[in-house]
Amino acid sequence: MKRIILLALTLCLFCLSAAAGPKLYRHPEYDFTNLRNIKVTVINNTHPENSGNFHAEAMAEEKMLSALYSAAGKAGLILTDERAGGPIAPTGEQESLLQRNKKAPKTAEVRIIINYLGYRRYKVPGHYEQKTEYFKEKRKDQWGKEYYVEIPIPTQVWVPDAYHNNALMDVIYNVHDLETAAVIANVMDRREREYEEDTSGMLGRSTKDFLKALKK
């Protein structure tokens, strides 16, 4: 029984740690140590319009590509925009992934799905907040010398309706093999930052983490 409970706790801790950052899949036999070139063939923005309380980032695809260029430069990779040609078709190579990948490839194809990029706007209804004001009162000590004391007076202050924004990014990076077009790595990254509209910081961190995880 103790072993079952310990196993359950371990699984819970694993789930919590997995939810704390980007979720990564890598082909178990694929070696990325020699990766030098990234060809971006697709950036698909599935929610380019405002909807409900979601406000879509203008020029989301261009901002994603710009962040990737910056991250690639810092990671020592050469990134090229190949979107005009679309996804790269398989060459028909019959050699298995296991056999071919004894030598790490220098080039990989990346297709990106932007599920959400922008911010959510939330309404905070009007409400009362408890505050303390201090009133100064003049007094005299036993020798007749005057002095002041601060007396706390609790009050309620009405705070009117307000709005705050949470920056939101939900992206999937799919890495494909050039010969077979098979998915050889996949990163799902979702981030949200309170009281912000600008997604630039999240994009920068996300693309950096993606390439770092890919080469690790």
Side-chain angles (χ1 to χ4, degrees), residues 76-196:
L77 296 170
I78 299 174
L79 186 140
T80 56
D81 181 6
E82 305 281 346
R83 289 179 296 166
I88 298 173
T91 63
E93 177 69 39
Q94 297 300 313
E95 188 178 8
S96 71
L97 279 172
L98 178 59
Q99 292 174 335
R100 185 178 67 256
N101 290 327
K102 289 179 181 178
K103 293 185 178 179
K106 292 185 178 181
T107 305
E109 176 192 358
V110 174
R111 305 176 193 177
I112 300 170
I113 301 172
I114 302 175
N115 290 321
Y116 288 98
L117 186 64
Y119 66 90
R120 296 190 189 278
R121 188 168 179 81
Y122 296 95
K123 180 181 178 179
V124 181
H127 59 282
Y128 283 99
E129 286 187 359
Q130 189 78 20
K131 290 190 176 181
T132 302
E133 295 182 353
Y134 291 89
F135 171 73
K136 286 187 176 183
E137 184 177 86
K138 184 187 293 186
R139 294 182 181 180
K140 292 183 179 181
D141 60 20
Q142 59 182 333
W143 296 283
K145 187 176 181 180
E146 293 182 344
Y147 69 97
Y148 289 91
V149 295
E150 289 188 340
I151 301 174
I153 302 176
T155 60
Q156 284 192 331
V157 178
W158 173 253
V159 179
D161 292 350
Y163 292 86
H164 76 264
N165 304 320
N166 288 3
L168 175 66
M169 186 206 72
D170 190 330
V171 174
I172 301 174
Y173 304 92
N174 290 312
V175 183
H176 294 256
D177 176 71
L178 289 179
E179 298 294 336
T180 65
V183 176
I184 55 178
N186 169 279
V187 173
M188 295 182 288
D189 195 355
R190 190 182 192 281
R191 306 178 186 227
E192 188 165 355
R193 192 172 183 88
E194 292 186 334
Y195 302 102
E196 277 196 15

Side-chain angles (χ1 to χ4, degrees), residues 23-78:
K23 298 179 180 179
L24 169 68
Y25 158 80
R26 290 174 54 146
H27 191 287
E29 302 298 338
Y30 213 90
D31 183 5
F32 293 92
T33 54
N34 285 343
L35 187 63
R36 295 293 179 271
N37 304 289
I38 297 290
K39 295 180 180 292
V40 178
T41 61
V42 174
I43 301 180
N44 181 23
N45 186 10
T46 61
H47 290 90
E49 304 293 336
N50 298 343
S51 177
N53 70 336
F54 173 70
H55 294 251
E57 180 77 77
M59 302 179 67
E61 297 178 21
E62 287 71 16
K63 289 184 177 181
M64 169 59 73
L65 188 64
S66 177
L68 277 169
Y69 270 119
S70 177
K74 294 175 182 177
L77 296 170
I78 299 174

